[in-house]
Amino acid sequence: VHSKEMKDKIWVADFFFTSCPSICPVMTAQMKRLNENLADLSNDIQFMSFSINPKMDQPSVLRRYIKKKGVSTKNWHFFTGDEAKPHELGIQHFKLFAGQDEASAGGYAHYAAFSLVDKEGYIRGVYIGTDSEDVDRMEKDIRLLLKHEYKINGSK
């Protein structure tokens, strides 16, 4: 993945881990639904999912997860790497907590949220990624943002 692929796009970001026994599968399903609903704007939106358990979520594990979940990766990238980076990135750039927590199911805790970031890197909203109604609101907000701020009209 190169930064040029993300340039001049708005971003939808979340944090997850493939072995999550609780909210992550729901969030991935909601992100997939959002991506599919916004297919008419796929050239203007970049979806990004950051693993908070990179020791387990190696590239081969992420590829299996993507296939199992039926994710189209044209404009959706899954990231793994240094464990400290997603935790730092989540808090500093997306205003979402993500980190190890032995008391949480699966050993990690994170907000069940998606962040919407505009082309200039400003957070425009944080939405509950397990709530269908909030994800629907996010879709509307994305369409409004692209239409009014960037003069890009979706087909809906």
Side-chain angles (χ1 to χ4, degrees), residues 85-147:
K85 292 297 181 191
H87 305 181
E88 178 184 316
L89 182 69
I91 292 171
Q92 289 183 356
H93 296 287
F94 298 110
K95 305 301 181 215
L96 301 175
F97 170 78
Q100 283 189 324
D101 181 356
E102 294 303 319
S104 294
Y108 289 86
H110 60 92
Y111 288 144
F114 302 153
S115 282
L116 172 59
V117 181
D118 69 17
K119 292 181 181 187
E120 288 74 38
Y122 295 105
I123 295 173
R124 291 301 190 101
V126 176
Y127 304 81
I128 301 169
T130 56
D131 183 328
S132 296
E133 289 180 15
D134 214 33
V135 174
D136 291 343
R137 185 173 62 86
M138 183 179 201
E139 178 185 349
K140 290 176 186 171
D141 290 351
I142 288 169
R143 290 184 183 283
L144 287 171
L145 174 63
L146 287 171
K147 181 178 181 179

Side-chain angles (χ1 to χ4, degrees), residues 3 5 8 14 23 25 34 45 51 54 64-65 70 76-78 82 95 105 122-123 134 141 146-147 149 154:
S3 58
E5 292 177 47
D8 295 325
D14 78 334
I23 62 174
L34 181 64
I45 302 170
S51 171
R64 283 193 303 272
Y65 184 82
W76 187 356
H77 295 292
F78 288 75
D82 177 7
K95 305 301 181 215
Y122 295 105
I123 295 173
D134 214 33
D141 290 351
L146 287 171
K147 181 178 181 179
E149 299 259 345

Side-chain angles (χ1 to χ4, degrees), residues 45-57:
I45 302 170
Q46 181 64 55
F47 290 83
M48 299 182 288
S49 292
F50 297 90
S51 171
I52 59 172
N53 186 1
K55 287 179 185 170
M56 179 176 204
D57 292 342

Side-chain angles (χ1 to χ4, degrees), residues 30-39 47 72 75-76:
Q30 288 292 338
M31 183 83 89
K32 179 182 174 188
R33 183 175 71 85
L34 181 64
N35 187 335
E36 290 169 352
N37 288 351
L38 292 166
F47 290 83
S72 168
N75 67 328
W76 187 356

